[in-house]
Amino acid sequence: MTNRVLDTIMERAEEIRELGPVNERLGRLDDKAAKVLRDSGVIRMLQPEAHGGMEAHPREFAEAVMGIAALDGSTGWVAGIVGLHPWEMAMADPKVQEEIWGGDPDTWIASPYAPMGVARPVDGGYVFSGRWQFSSGTDHCDWIFLGGLLGDEDGRPVEPFQGLHLVLPRSDYEIVEGSWEVAGLKGTGSKDVIVRDAFVPDYRVLRFAKVVDGTAPREAGLTNPTYLVPFSCAFPLGITSAVIGMAEGVLAHHMAYQRDRVQIVGTRVKDDPYVLYAMSEAAEEIAASRTRLLDFASRMYDKAAAGEEISFGERAAGRRLQVRSAWRAARAVNELVIRSGGNAMRVDNPIQRFWRDVHVGLAHAIHVPGAVYHVSALTDLDIEPPEGPMRSMI
């Protein structure tokens, strides 16, 4: 199947490439880079058709994100993060969907989902406050998904904790300028946001547990398999795809740079069997990461389309696959970069920017291996993992 969005991206590849250093200097996506994403349609790939979206196959979305990230890490990261939000918004009340997309189907929604705020119940909704980090692409978004905890009448989180995803318009939160001073992915503009006693009506709130267990899309009457794949497959997909795409970008720049390079000892790289060996091994590791991730997305889609239940064990194995794919690609990048020579570290060489971007992307909570590996190993042993935080990312 032809991926029309990816084809459009490739037509503007040079423009995206050239804007990479500009994004980094600005500390957010340049307006031109954001316009390329809007024009390509990548942010609408998982959006409901009723609101101008494509309801595309998750694999196609991942391929598009990889293609963008291989051109510029920050642009690919924003595509992967912001492009996922319409997937969950499809499960929300039609009223909030109309508020967001009724006037413009190209309206973007930011996040993060981390439960860093508390929602105090009041008549008709909640009073919500908190501060969140890492709101990628937020300067170009007019709405936001924010993670919160259900509170009591005094604003204290109730126990056991109950997670919420609350949807707010741009007028209800503050973007904190100067809060994204980082080593990599600088162009994502992943700034802090603050909410102070904002009223959020009931219809703009989703229960996180229902999103995770697949209840939310079914209650919303969604039938397209894209929306029935597990949250633990869909949400990490844009993030891991971006990291793999960045690794592909390193590989492409490394190959172009090494083709005519002469090492300080006078040996041409093309005549050095040790460097050539490492290049081939890294290329295959990155390709394996790509294949595994795309295969998983396709398998989850096919199971959802067939109406088959996707077990907790399958979800856990999928999360393990995502984490390992990102780490495998990043380690391959390291093998390339340490053989690229000192000039690869100059600021005008894109290799060093991609290298930094890959490692900041790897630091995302989605890619932390500990609990994921622990839980997936237990399920492989037919041992039920304990309830609690260990299961939360699965």
Side-chain angles (χ1 to χ4, degrees):
M1 182 181 295
T2 300
N3 190 329
R4 292 180 289 114
V5 172
L6 184 57
D7 289 345
T8 302
I9 289 295
M10 291 302 103
E11 290 170 4
R12 302 184 71 171
E14 195 54 40
E15 187 177 356
I16 297 171
R17 234 184 246 112
E18 290 177 355
L19 286 168
V22 179
N23 299 331
E24 180 158 90
R25 286 196 298 272
L26 287 175
R28 63 169 176 82
L29 285 195
D30 181 83
D31 292 346
K32 293 178 183 176
K35 186 176 186 305
V36 171
L37 292 186
R38 291 184 197 277
D39 292 347
S40 73
V42 65
I43 307 300
R44 288 185 285 107
M45 289 186 80
L46 303 181
Q47 194 161 309
E49 289 182 354
H51 290 288
M54 304 176 193
E55 298 192 9
H57 194 299
R59 179 189 179 107
E60 292 185 12
F61 173 67
E63 289 172 334
V65 171
M66 288 177 183
I68 298 166
L71 301 170
D72 175 56
S74 289
T75 308
W77 185 266
V78 171
I81 296 279
V82 178
L84 185 277
H85 298 147
W87 177 86
E88 183 173 353
M89 187 55 65
M91 305 169 196
D93 191 298
K95 187 174 179 180
V96 68
Q97 294 185 42
E98 182 62 26
E99 286 177 333
I100 294 172
W101 292 315
D104 181 5
D106 277 319
T107 299
W108 289 8
I109 309 161
S111 60
Y113 289 126
M116 304 306 294
V118 178
R120 177 171 57 86
V122 296
D123 288 343
Y126 303 86
V127 173
F128 192 41
S129 297
R131 178 167 180 153
W132 293 258
Q133 296 179 313
F134 314 129
S135 184
S136 298
T138 199
D139 289 292
H140 299 283
C141 298
D142 295 312
W143 288 76
I144 197 165
F145 266 119
L146 290 175
L149 295 174
L150 178 64
D152 60 19
E153 293 179 354
D154 297 320
R156 293 187 296 263
V158 302
E159 294 186 16
F161 294 146
Q162 297 181 43
L164 305 173
H165 287 175
L166 300 95
V167 184
L168 289 81
R170 179 68 184 82
S171 58
D172 284 354
Y173 59 94
E174 171 193 347
I175 298 173
V176 183
E177 295 300 332
S179 57
W180 186 239
E181 300 295 334
V182 289
L185 290 177
K186 292 184 177 183
T188 64
S190 302
K191 302 171 184 176
D192 293 10
V193 297
I194 297 175
V195 175
R196 298 183 176 88
D197 295 327
F199 174 70
V200 184
D202 286 324
Y203 70 87
R204 290 191 196 150
V205 179
L206 289 86
R207 297 275 173 169
F208 178 55
K210 289 189 173 184
V211 176
V212 170
D213 70 12
T215 302
R218 288 169 173 82
E219 287 186 346
L222 299 173
T223 57
N224 187 322
T226 288
Y227 301 114
L228 302 180
V229 300
F231 178 82
S232 60
C233 169
F235 172 58
L237 190 59
I239 299 169
T240 308
S241 294
V243 170
I244 293 171
M246 294 173 216
E248 292 176 326
V250 173
L251 179 63
H253 284 291
H254 176 82
M255 293 296 192
Y257 180 56
Q258 298 286 61
R259 187 171 290 111
D260 299 315
R261 178 172 163 246
V262 179
Q263 299 173 93
I264 195 168
V265 294
T267 304
R268 293 183 180 275
V269 168
K270 67 180 183 179
D271 297 323
D272 186 331
Y274 307 107
V275 174
L276 295 179
Y277 180 97
M279 288 166 61
S280 290
E281 190 169 65
E284 195 56 33
E285 289 294 281
I286 294 168
S289 296
R290 176 189 182 93
T291 300
R292 286 285 282 159
L293 188 70
L294 295 177
D295 175 70
F296 175 64
S298 293
R299 285 190 288 110
M300 292 299 99
Y301 180 93
D302 291 345
K303 292 202 73 164
E308 298 177 19
E309 180 181 353
I310 299 171
S311 69
F312 180 83
E314 288 175 303
R315 302 203 310 265
R319 287 287 294 115
R320 179 181 64 202
L321 177 156
Q322 293 158 349
V323 171
R324 183 60 187 161
S325 294
W327 280 76
R328 181 191 293 121
R331 285 170 172 164
V333 163
N334 289 341
E335 293 299 316
L336 293 172
V337 171
I338 62 177
R339 291 172 174 82
S340 291
N343 285 322
M345 294 297 106
R346 296 187 183 278
V347 294
D348 62 349
N349 191 318
I351 290 175
Q352 54 78 30
R353 188 178 76 249
F354 276 91
W355 178 53
R356 289 184 285 108
D357 290 349
V358 163
H359 285 278
V360 172
L362 192 65
H364 191 284
I366 281 295
H367 294 138
V368 175
V372 171
Y373 283 9
H374 188 157
V375 170
S376 63
L378 287 177
T379 58
D380 285 346
L381 293 170
D382 292 325
I383 299 172
E384 185 70 17
E387 295 293 337
M390 285 179 57
R391 301 170 66 109
S392 64
M393 303 296 279
I394 296 170

